[in-house]
Structure formats: structure tokens, C-alpha cells
Amino acid sequence: VIVKLARNARRATPAQPSIGETHAERLAQVRSELERRRLDGYLIFNRQDQFWLTGFTGEDGAVLVTARAVVLLTDGRFGLTAQLEAPWARAVLRKRRTPDVTAGVIRRQHLSRVGFDPAHLDVGTYAALQRALRPVRLLSASGVISAMRRCKTAGEVAAIRRAIAVAQEAFEAVRGELRVGLSEAEIAARLVYEMQTRGAEGPAFPPIVAAGATAALPHYTPGSRRLKRDEVLLLDWGARVDWYVSDLTRVVCLGTMPAQLKKAYAAVREAHDRAIAAVRPGVRAAAVDRVARDVIRRARFGERFNHSLGHGIGLNVHEAPRLSQVSKDVLELGMIITIEPGVYLPGVGGVRLEDDVIVTPGGCEVLSSLPL
Ligand code: ZN
Ligand code: ZN
């Protein structure tokens, strides 16, 4: 009945809508990868992967890709969304979110080996789906789409540029209003407000605003602590525009920065600059991390740089590639990554400087432009 409803809805549209160029290309890419992995179907549960492949933005969904079909499983709330955003895909509006509906759709496609990304399917759903599908085999196939999302198309680069511009304008507006006595939570709220009034769908993530000693905690949640003179304020924020994100960090100080942090700032800045100079196609991500880590080690802050150098950004704030000591990734043309070395001094504060760069033929272009 559900499928019939979807078919009737399709009949109501006058002409069979055709898939746009971007999505057609991506679909061809996915299909050839499925062939390579000897899969005749692929289930996509991750919302960003679904958006990348189909343009569908609904919350509740799974996408099934086969050699001939793209089936969008969602529920009644997103039926119209599916029709508007991916009219070329076959929508199945399920009444309940059950593995049986998914299994039924797969059965009708006569598939035998269906892949999925284990990063996006919980063990309970997997077990239920596998039971319902027997004898069709449900096979773990990791990184199929996340690997394809690493290098950005011109359209994606443009969206990320807009997300950066909005985040930077918001920062400059907020920085102009910073004064002693404002709380971290107030500053975070202002950042979000300034981004949204400038066209962001929202923040890319809840901003980190850390005053004074709390800046020593790399992933701090802003609270009631108030901005004081001669203390650092660390802000890590980003905007989401057309689904793509930016991710930036700056450290400011009203008054004079504590001497130890001034030294740390100089080391972090040099690590940041040298790492950016080392970015180019073909270089190992771990080697770029090493460049930054060596600078910080030489400044005797080695133990205080306790996270990786950076990560890819796109539809997610953290996506492939990873820039860390243990990363096996190699940088490629069109990747957009963050470079964000940091030094954290317990009881004193912390410094992290984060910019977004795109890998270009000659090295990289720094997309963000706030002064350091
Ligand atoms: Zn960040
Ligand atoms: Zn980041």
C-alpha cells in the first residue's frame, strides 16, 4: 500500500523529472565502486551521505542504490521534501521505521549482496535487518561514500567559502563588542546570532568560547565564566551554509596576555604557518602533522599539544582526511582541511589557531582570512 501511494504521487507529476548533472555523476561513481566491491545494492543511512548523493534533506531516511534504481525510504513527514529535492528517485513512504519495510524494498529488487557503512548502522538495527533479509547478505563496506566526499567540487568549494565568510563577519561583529564582564555563554550566543542573521542555517557546531584557564580544555562547553582583563579568550566556531560548514579558531585578549601564553601563541602561530606551507597534493597527512608538532616541541611545549593537527570539513565538521600522527591519508587536490595546532597550559589558558585551507596544484590556498 505504501509503495502504491508513492507510485500514485509520482503519476501526478506530469513528466519524469531527470537527475541533475552533479548527482548523476556521483551516482555513477557509487555504482562503479559497488561493482568493484561485487555488491548489487548499497544502503545509505547517514544523512550527509544521502544529501551528497541525492540532495534529499529529510531527517528520517535510508537510500538504497542498485545498478538501476535509487529508492528513497522515508516517512510521511518528508514525502513532499523527497518529491521536491530528489524527484528522480523512487520514494517509499513507510508508516513505521521497521527493518521489515527496508527488507521488503530490497527483496523486490532481487538483490543478493547489499553493502552498508558500518560507521552508520547500530548493532541492533543491523541484527534485525540481517534477520529480515535472509538469505540476502548484508555486508559491511566501509568508506564507500566518505572517500568520495573528500575532494570537493566547485559547488562545494563555493558553499564552504560562504560558510567561512559568514563565520568571519560574525566574529568581527562580536569581537567589536567584547568587554570585561560578558560571560562565555553570552559570547557564544552572540556568535550564533550574528551568523544566522548573515544567512547561516545555524552554527556548524555549538561554539567553544573559553575564558582564562578554561581555554586549557580543548573541547570546553561555554558557561557562566566571565571575561576578565589580561586573560585569553579562545573562540572555536563555524557556520553552516547550504549544508556546508566552516571551522575556525582564534584567541583574543583584552589587555596583556600572560607571558607563558604569549610564548605559546608564538609557537602555535609558527606551527600553523609552517604546516600550511607544507600542504600540497601527494604529501602524507601525518607528515604535515609532524611539521607542526616539531615546531611546538622545539618551543618546549611538545607535551601540551594534545590533539591532532586537523581534519577535513564539508557536510560534516569532522570528515576525511585526518591530519594526525597515525593518519594513513595522503592529501589530494580539492580536499578542504583545517590546520589547528594548539598549546594548553593547565591553570593558565590555551592557544589554538585554526584556519581552513584547500589543496591546490601548487600547494594550498588559505580560504579563511582573519588576522592572526
Ligand atoms: Zn574548530
Ligand atoms: Zn576543527
Side-chain angles (χ1 to χ4, degrees):
V1 179
I2 299 163
V3 176
K4 246 186 219 156
L5 277 176
R7 281 202 190 121
N8 287 340
R10 264 194 355 165
R11 226 172 271 147
T13 41
Q16 178 63 35
S18 68
I19 184 170
E21 200 183 316
T22 306
H23 292 124
E25 245 167 55
R26 291 174 182 174
L27 192 55
Q29 235 182 310
V30 170
R31 281 178 171 147
S32 88
E33 180 63 17
L34 295 189
E35 213 171 294
R36 207 182 62 79
R37 298 195 188 212
R38 298 180 204 288
L39 297 168
D40 51 14
Y42 194 67
L43 271 172
I44 304 167
F45 295 102
N46 176 264
R47 205 175 158 197
Q48 282 77 23
D49 284 352
Q50 291 171 7
F51 174 79
W52 180 84
L53 187 65
T54 70
F56 176 65
T57 61
E59 260 171 65
D60 177 34
V63 170
L64 173 69
V65 182
T66 73
R68 286 197 276 160
V70 176
V71 185
L72 185 50
L73 290 111
T74 183
D75 67 49
R77 292 172 300 162
F78 303 108
L80 186 59
T81 311
Q83 230 181 76
L84 291 170
E85 294 174 339
W88 47 270
R90 208 187 99 210
V92 172
L93 306 182
R94 53 190 177 188
K95 292 246 164 74
R96 282 167 302 149
R97 188 183 192 156
T98 66
D100 298 330
V101 179
T102 311
V105 168
I106 290 172
R107 274 180 204 295
R108 276 190 288 280
Q109 299 285 333
H110 306 292
L111 307 173
S112 59
R113 292 166 53 86
V114 177
F116 68 95
D117 194 324
H120 305 137
L121 187 60
D122 65 83
V123 178
T125 312
Y126 167 75
L129 197 53
Q130 199 194 30
R131 256 196 315 276
L133 270 176
R134 233 169 256 158
V136 179
R137 293 183 66 195
L138 194 57
L139 299 158
S140 162
S142 59
V144 171
I145 292 184
S146 52
M148 293 174 191
R149 280 173 43 188
R150 290 180 311 176
C151 299
K152 270 60 185 178
T153 58
E156 291 177 302
V157 176
I160 292 170
R161 280 185 193 274
R162 288 193 293 275
I164 291 170
V166 163
Q168 296 193 149
E169 286 167 26
F171 174 78
E172 295 197 309
V174 170
R175 190 176 48 183
E177 292 171 355
L178 285 181
R179 54 175 197 276
V180 168
L182 275 179
S183 78
E184 294 166 342
E186 282 169 331
I187 297 166
R190 286 182 187 205
L191 264 175
V192 173
Y193 173 84
E194 295 293 348
M195 289 193 282
Q196 288 192 189
T197 50
R198 284 171 169 76
E201 287 136 23
F205 51 91
I208 296 169
V209 177
T214 61
L217 308 166
H219 271 200
Y220 171 74
T221 305
S224 56
R225 195 178 168 109
R226 292 184 185 280
L227 187 52
K228 288 190 197 135
R229 185 151 292 280
D230 302 333
E231 277 189 349
V232 289
L233 181 71
L234 183 151
L235 305 102
D236 185 347
W237 79 106
R240 182 179 295 278
V241 176
D242 297 333
W243 272 61
Y244 286 84
V245 302
S246 52
D247 183 9
L248 302 165
T249 305
R250 283 296 183 269
V251 171
V252 297
C253 182
L254 297 179
T256 319
M257 207 179 277
Q260 251 183 310
L261 283 176
K262 223 182 251 175
K263 250 193 236 165
Y265 196 105
V268 169
R269 186 177 176 165
E270 193 191 339
H272 162 277
D273 293 352
R274 292 214 186 182
I276 287 173
V279 171
R280 60 173 193 280
V283 74
R284 290 187 322 113
V288 181
D289 180 282
R290 158 72 91 31
V291 168
R293 217 163 285 279
D294 281 350
V295 171
I296 290 174
R297 201 175 289 136
R298 278 199 301 274
R300 300 189 188 282
F301 290 116
E303 302 292 296
R304 304 295 181 200
F305 177 19
N306 51 17
H307 56 74
S308 55
L309 178 66
H311 52 85
I313 56 169
L315 292 168
N316 286 103
V317 181
H318 296 101
E319 57 180 58
R322 303 279 164 173
L323 284 82
S324 74
Q325 296 175 86
V326 296
S327 176
K328 299 256 183 287
D329 293 324
V330 173
L331 298 187
E332 287 171 45
L333 203 61
M335 285 179 170
I336 298 186
I337 56 175
T338 69
I339 296 292
E340 50 178 308
V343 166
Y344 309 92
L345 306 176
V348 185
V351 174
R352 175 166 70 254
L353 297 172
E354 178 176 26
D355 277 301
D356 303 335
V357 314
I358 181 167
V359 182
T360 60
C364 74
E365 180 195 345
V366 186
L367 299 174
S368 41
S369 57
L370 287 173
L372 285 171

